[in-house]
Amino acid sequence: MERRKFIQNVSLGSVAAGLTGMGTLRAAQPGTLPADQTFNLDYAPHFGMFKHHAGDDLLDQITFMHEKGFRSLEDNGMMGRTPEMQEKIGNHLAKLGMTMGVFVLNKGGNGANTLAAGKQEHVDIFLDGCRKAIDVAKRVNAKWTTVVPGDYQRDLPLDIQTANVIEALRKGAEILEPHGLTMVLEPLSDTPNLFLRYSPQTYMICKGVNSPSCKILYDIYHQQKNEGNLINLMEMCWDEIAYIQIGDNPGRKEPGTGEINYQNVFKYIYEKGFKGVCGMEHGNANPGKEGEADVIAAYRKADNFL
């Protein structure tokens, strides 16, 4: 059956019911597809998002994600896991045919060791993080690593700070590029002290670095807070966007809990031909198994745009 007809015929309530023991999509009405029907876009949950269903074991959580139709995973804290666990995660993803999304490149924290300062010791910490990220990426078969340049260096002119960031990122790209690893720069809304906040600003920096290993991570939640005008600005920056993250605003929970029309945004991303990962970098609006079921139902609803 075509995806459109399937989604139209299966109520979101049956998705939630299947997850809470009231029945499953595998035992749903005749003619419907099973629970592991995939989505139009490649959404990536993170560890802990479905722990009430899958338990604390990380591999079991990945298996549950796969069973519910997700085909990617992201894990900001991957660099902090043991090499042995990284290998297990990578092997399990490969076994299930799943993709590893982003992990955060460790440079000491979002605001720390800012590249805007032009200080060699900060650049050295960043470049060391790049080298270590390569090893992690090989273990988990990752293609993207998140980079946040750091805070403003308030005693320097803005254009000098921008030049410092570009120069440091070029050095990082030289390390990453031979290994097929892309740093995706994430403009954030967490604090006005952060240097990188806007998508056009990030676009300019990527053009300045001029490397396939330096692209934009467009986090819809952060950019709705910082600048809005989501689809128009994504269009302007599209050729530098390599990765997308999701979260509704306010609250940073699943789609449908805030003000963003995610069905329209997802339709735009799909019609652009985006084949990359859309990371589910948000919390669950409600606790426990019911809250986890709500997350899956929310994605089924927002993904129903064809």
Side-chain angles (χ1 to χ4, degrees):
M1 180 181 290
E2 294 178 358
R3 182 187 303 271
R4 290 180 65 183
K5 294 180 181 178
F6 164 71
I7 297 175
Q8 290 167 356
N9 291 341
V10 180
S11 70
L12 295 175
S14 69
V15 177
L19 289 170
T20 54
M22 297 170 64
T24 68
L25 278 176
R26 294 186 185 277
Q29 298 299 318
T32 61
L33 292 176
D36 59 358
Q37 171 70 26
T38 56
F39 297 82
N40 291 309
L41 294 175
D42 189 1
Y43 307 112
H46 54 78
F47 290 127
M49 183 165 269
F50 302 122
K51 67 179 181 180
H52 290 95
H53 280 92
D56 291 330
D57 184 85
L58 299 185
L59 303 188
D60 288 345
Q61 291 185 36
I62 293 172
T63 299
F64 180 85
M65 295 171 192
H66 184 271
E67 289 174 352
K68 297 307 168 189
F70 299 102
R71 292 297 179 264
S72 290
L73 164 79
E74 65 175 23
D75 180 29
N76 285 345
M78 184 65 78
M79 286 192 75
R81 303 191 188 280
T82 65
E84 293 76 17
M85 179 53 68
Q86 292 167 3
E87 292 276 2
K88 289 180 180 179
I89 291 169
N91 290 338
H92 198 56
L93 290 171
K95 178 181 176 181
L96 295 175
M98 294 178 67
T99 299
M100 181 67 213
V102 291
F103 62 89
V104 173
L105 188 147
N106 186 5
K107 58 173 270 296
N110 286 343
N113 304 309
T114 179
L115 303 180
K119 295 180 179 179
Q120 187 60 47
E121 58 266 33
H122 294 182
V123 175
D124 289 343
I125 290 170
F126 165 63
L127 298 181
D128 182 61
C130 289
R131 297 182 186 97
K132 291 178 179 176
I134 291 169
D135 293 332
V136 174
K138 289 178 179 178
R139 297 185 191 110
V140 298
N141 302 310
K143 299 178 181 178
W144 308 277
T145 182
T146 306
V147 169
V148 178
D151 283 342
Y152 282 106
Q153 185 68 30
R154 299 286 186 182
D155 59 347
L156 293 178
L158 181 58
D159 290 345
I160 299 299
Q161 295 182 62
T162 301
N164 290 338
V165 170
I166 290 173
E167 184 176 14
L169 294 176
R170 282 178 178 170
K171 294 176 181 177
E174 289 175 359
I175 293 172
L176 300 177
E177 193 170 329
H179 302 276
L181 184 58
T182 299
M183 55 179 163
V184 282
L185 309 182
E186 184 176 14
L188 298 175
S189 64
D190 298 332
T191 166
N193 291 326
L194 288 166
F195 171 80
L196 198 64
R197 293 179 53 80
Y198 306 106
S199 55
Q201 175 196 19
T202 314
Y203 181 85
M204 176 182 65
I205 289 171
C206 287
K207 290 299 184 184
V209 176
N210 191 28
S211 168
S213 283
C214 183
K215 297 295 179 181
I216 297 172
L217 190 169
Y218 190 94
D219 188 306
I220 297 170
Y221 162 77
H222 284 299
Q223 295 320 110
Q224 174 67 4
K225 289 180 66 180
N226 280 347
E227 59 193 15
N229 199 21
L230 296 172
I231 290 175
N232 282 337
L233 285 169
M234 290 179 76
E235 180 69 22
M236 294 177 193
C237 298
W238 187 257
D239 65 313
E240 295 292 341
I241 295 174
Y243 198 96
I244 293 168
Q245 286 183 328
I246 301 159
D248 216 334
N249 182 64
R252 202 175 189 179
K253 307 299 182 185
E254 66 264 22
T257 58
E259 65 192 3
I260 300 173
N261 187 337
Y262 262 106
Q263 197 168 70
N264 275 0
V265 174
F266 287 165
K267 181 181 180 182
Y268 165 78
I269 293 168
Y270 178 87
E271 290 178 346
K272 290 295 292 183
F274 186 71
K275 301 300 183 184
V277 174
C278 297
M280 298 159 61
E281 197 189 29
H282 57 75
N284 298 356
N286 297 305
K289 286 187 175 183
E290 290 186 4
E292 294 173 2
D294 289 345
V295 170
I296 297 174
Y299 276 87
R300 290 293 178 192
K301 181 178 181 180
D303 191 68
N304 184 16
F305 51 74
L306 293 181

